[in-house]
Amino acid sequence: MEIIGHTKRGQLNYAVPDVLQLQRRIRRYNADHDVPHGDIVALALDAWLRAKGYPPDLKPPERDAP
């Protein structure tokens, strides 16, 4: 199940509390559902930001004229 598809990706590195066991839980979800780790994180963070009123700007960026 590939939700986000073949899109350009960037690295997202943040320290998170160990008590949440996010890495372990992400690995377990991936093993059960075959969703790539990055997609799990991206979808969860996107849902949270949208719920807080921060949807993505889906318009393509305008390119500067040469």
Side-chain angles (χ1 to χ4, degrees):
M1 179 174 162
E2 191 170 320
I3 296 173
I4 296 184
H6 299 288
T7 60
K8 183 178 177 186
R9 293 180 177 253
Q11 191 70 32
L12 183 66
N13 293 318
Y14 285 95
V16 294
D18 288 337
V19 69
L20 296 177
Q21 302 175 354
L22 294 175
Q23 291 179 344
R24 180 185 67 80
R25 293 161 59 199
I26 288 169
R27 283 192 302 269
R28 289 182 62 199
Y29 187 89
N30 170 263
D32 291 344
H33 300 281
D34 199 31
V35 176
H37 297 184
D39 288 1
I40 296 167
V41 173
L43 291 168
L45 186 53
D46 179 58
W48 186 81
L49 287 168
R50 286 173 190 257
K52 297 294 183 182
Y54 295 91
D57 181 8
L58 298 179
K59 292 179 277 182
E62 293 183 23
R63 298 193 181 261
D64 293 331

